[in-house]
C-alpha cells in the first residue's frame, strides 16, 4: 500500500490562480501526475475541480469536462463529502460555462448534494457542523439569482428559505428539541 499523497500542489495551484495562471497550472498538472500512478480518486477529483476553475477563463468546454470528470470520480458515494465538495466547486463554475437556465439547474443540484450529505450524517451535531461550511454557497446563489436580468425572485427566495430552514433545524437540535 502506498502512503496517501499530499495535495500540496493542488493547494499551491489554488493559491497561485489569481496572480499566476501558468504557475497555478503547473502545480495542478503536477498534482494530477503524482496521483495518476497511485490511483487516489479523491485527490484526482480535487485536482480536477481546482484545474476546472483555472481553465474556465481559457477554455470553457475543457473546464466543463474537468468538472464532470471530478464529479464522476466521486459519485459512487452520493452521500459522501467528496461529492458535495465537487458540486460546491461546480456551483460557481457553471455560471461561466453554461447557459443561464442550465447554470440555475446545476446550482440547485449542487445544493441538493450538500443536503444529501447533511442528511446522511449520523447525528444532529455533525449535521449542523457540516452544514455551516456551505451556508455561504446558499447566500451566493440567492444573490446570483437576484442579479439576473430579469431577476429570478421566486428561486432566490426558495434558496434563502432552504437555508433558513436548515439553520432553524440546527438551532433546535442544539437546544435539545428533536427535529422532524
Amino acid at each position: 500500500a502506498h502512503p496517501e499523497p499530499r495535495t500540496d500542489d493542488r493547494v499551491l495551484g489554488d493559491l497561485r490562480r489569481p496572480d499566476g495562471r501558468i504557475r497555478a497550472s503547473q502545480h495542478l498538472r503536477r498534482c494530477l501526475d503524482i496521483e495518476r500512478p497511485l490511483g487516489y480518486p479523491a485527490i484526482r477529483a480535487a485536482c480536477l475541480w481546482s484545474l476546472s476553475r483555472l481553465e474556465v477563463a481559457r477554455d470553457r468546454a475543457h473546464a466543463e469536462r474537468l468538472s464532470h470528470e471530478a464529479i464522476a470520480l466521486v459519485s459512487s458515494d452520493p452521500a459522501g463529502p467528496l461529492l458535495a465538495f465537487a458540486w460546491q466547486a461546480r456551483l460557481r463554475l457553471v455560471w461561466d460555462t453554461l447557459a443561464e437556465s442550465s447554470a440555475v439547474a446545476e446550482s440547485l443540484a449542487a445544493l441538493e448534494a450538500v443536503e444529501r450529505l447533511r442528511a446522511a450524517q449520523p447525528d444532529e451535531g455533525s449535521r449542523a457542523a457540516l452544514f455551516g461550511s456551505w451556508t455561504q454557497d446558499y447566500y451566493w446563489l440567492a444573490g446570483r439569482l437576484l442579479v439576473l436580468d430579469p431577476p429570478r425572485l421566486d428561486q432566490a427566495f426558495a434558496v434563502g428559505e432552504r437555508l433558513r430552514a436548515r439553520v432553524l433545524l440546527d438551532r433546535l437540535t442544539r437546544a435539545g428539541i428533536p427535529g422532524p
Side-chain angles (χ1 to χ4, degrees), residues 53-129:
R53 291 194 318 254
L54 179 67
E55 288 292 312
V56 72
R58 191 179 66 80
D59 185 344
R60 290 176 171 190
H62 184 59
E64 260 304 286
R65 287 189 301 274
L66 294 169
S67 179
H68 280 288
E69 184 180 346
I71 288 174
L73 282 168
V74 294
S75 65
S76 63
D77 184 6
L82 292 175
L83 184 57
F85 282 117
W87 275 107
Q88 184 180 38
R90 187 158 173 71
L91 178 74
R92 287 174 175 78
L93 176 78
V94 297
W95 291 90
D96 293 326
T97 60
L98 301 177
E100 181 181 297
S101 60
S102 296
V104 170
E106 293 267 343
S107 295
L108 294 174
L111 293 185
E112 289 170 14
V114 170
E115 291 169 0
R116 276 192 307 275
L117 172 61
R118 180 190 179 281
Q121 297 307 301
D123 60 75
E124 288 297 325
S126 298
R127 289 180 194 170

Side-chain angles (χ1 to χ4, degrees), residues 96-159:
D96 293 326
T97 60
L98 301 177
E100 181 181 297
S101 60
S102 296
V104 170
E106 293 267 343
S107 295
L108 294 174
L111 293 185
E112 289 170 14
V114 170
E115 291 169 0
R116 276 192 307 275
L117 172 61
R118 180 190 179 281
Q121 297 307 301
D123 60 75
E124 288 297 325
S126 298
R127 289 180 194 170
L130 179 93
F131 187 71
S133 301
W134 279 287
T135 57
Q136 67 181 351
D137 296 312
Y138 284 79
Y139 289 124
W140 183 88
L141 180 55
R144 188 70 176 96
L145 292 166
L146 290 173
V147 298
L148 294 175
D149 186 24
R152 294 192 175 208
L153 298 175
D154 289 345
Q155 288 177 316
F157 182 78
V159 167

